[in-house]
């Protein structure tokens, strides 16, 4: 199969990605073992840059202003069996997929999304993929649609500690409620023999409901 993946911030050079982005990177590499995969993602430079990860996986780096026209051109010139998308650029991707009648697979990473995923929306994705069974139940409740569940794909070689010494801390970045901060707190309190560290982030999401 030929698969196109769009996401605004994956396979970034010299920078760290979030959990959803790391999961999409792993998924792209996994799919490229048996399928042709092309990724369109963001880049801070004006010119388009192409990177070949392996024989079946190609990354095109573009900037935000180029995105909509670039994806439209890509889908008009080549037939893809599926287009996978999430987070940044997903709404635009859904619209272009609808235009060319290509099945769009949307990975739902948060229940705080403001997209119309109902079957009444002609630009709604053909397939929804939730990251938990709870998300699947909420999608059914809110949009009256079924969905698949795929837990986040993790490449442990990318996230494990590289220090030669014994690990002394269990850490979490951005420990707000919607990211599992309360769960992290319960784990820490339930393991007083271990040391934990939390690193704040996403200041714009910090409020009374999320702290």
């Amino acid at each position: 199969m030929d698969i196109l993946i769009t996401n605004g911030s994956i396979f970034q050079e010299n920078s760290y990605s979030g959990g959803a982005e790391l999961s999409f990177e792993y998924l792209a590499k996994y799919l490229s073992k048996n399928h042709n995969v092309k990724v369109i993602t963001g880049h801070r430079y004006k010119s388009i840059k192409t990177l070949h990860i392996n024989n079946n996986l190609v990354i095109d780096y573009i900037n935000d202003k180029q995105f909509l026209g670039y994806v439209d051109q890509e889908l008009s010139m080549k037939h893809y069996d599926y287009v996978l998308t999430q987070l940044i650029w997903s709404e635009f991707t859904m619209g272009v997929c609808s235009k060319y009648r290509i099945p769009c697979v949307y990975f739902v990473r948060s229940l705080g999304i403001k997209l119309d995923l109902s079957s009444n929306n002609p630009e709604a994705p053909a397939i929804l993929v939730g990251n938990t069974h709870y998300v699947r139940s909420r999608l059914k409740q809110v949009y009256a649609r079924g969905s698949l569940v795929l837990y986040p794909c993790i490449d442990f070689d990318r996230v494990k500690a590289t220090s030669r010494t014994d690990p002394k801390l269990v850490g979490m970045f951005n420990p707000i409620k919607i990211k599992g901060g309360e769960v992290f707190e319960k784990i820490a309190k339930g393991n007083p023999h271990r040391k934990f560290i939390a690193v704040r982030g996403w200041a714009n999401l910090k409020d009374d409901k999320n702290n």
Side-chain angles (χ1 to χ4, degrees), residues 116-124 143 145:
D116 181 4
L117 303 178
S118 67
S119 56
N120 295 327
N121 179 11
E123 295 186 354
Y143 299 105
R145 289 191 58 181

Side-chain angles (χ1 to χ4, degrees), residues 45-89:
Y45 301 116
K46 294 181 179 180
S47 59
I48 297 172
K49 178 180 178 181
T50 299
L51 178 66
H52 293 263
I53 302 297
N54 57 47
N55 291 334
N56 296 329
L57 178 56
V58 179
I59 316 295
D60 276 359
Y61 295 92
I62 62 175
N63 63 49
D64 291 341
K65 294 181 179 179
Q66 297 170 317
F67 172 72
L68 187 57
Y70 193 81
V71 173
D72 191 298
Q73 177 181 306
E74 182 70 25
L75 294 183
S76 69
M77 296 176 58
K78 180 176 179 178
H79 171 75
Y80 284 92
D81 296 286
Y82 291 96
V83 177
L84 280 55
T85 188
Q86 66 173 8
L87 302 174
I88 303 174
W89 297 352

Side-chain angles (χ1 to χ4, degrees), residues 87-199:
L87 302 174
I88 303 174
W89 297 352
S90 58
E91 184 175 7
F92 300 104
T93 300
M94 293 176 197
V96 179
C97 286
S98 175
K99 176 181 178 180
Y100 293 104
R101 297 185 178 183
I102 299 175
C104 179
V105 183
Y106 177 59
F107 286 71
V108 184
R109 301 300 188 185
S110 170
L111 293 173
I113 56 175
K114 297 181 180 180
L115 301 177
D116 181 4
L117 303 178
S118 67
S119 56
N120 295 327
N121 179 11
E123 295 186 354
I127 300 173
L128 300 177
V129 180
N131 55 2
T132 66
H133 287 278
Y134 174 71
V135 168
R136 180 171 68 175
S137 66
R138 288 287 293 159
L139 290 172
K140 183 70 173 179
Q141 180 182 8
V142 176
Y143 299 105
R145 289 191 58 181
S147 59
L148 304 174
V149 174
L150 178 65
Y151 286 105
C153 311
I154 301 174
D155 182 356
F156 287 101
D157 289 335
R158 292 195 61 182
V159 298
K160 68 181 180 182
T162 57
S163 172
R164 295 179 181 273
T165 60
D166 293 332
K168 296 180 174 60
L169 297 171
V170 178
M172 179 179 180
F173 290 94
N174 198 25
I176 57 178
K177 287 184 179 179
I178 61 174
K179 290 290 187 178
E182 286 184 331
V183 176
F184 180 76
E185 182 181 8
K186 290 179 181 178
I187 294 174
K189 289 181 177 179
N191 293 271
H193 59 290
R194 300 293 300 271
K195 292 183 178 180
F196 292 78
I197 184 172
V199 180

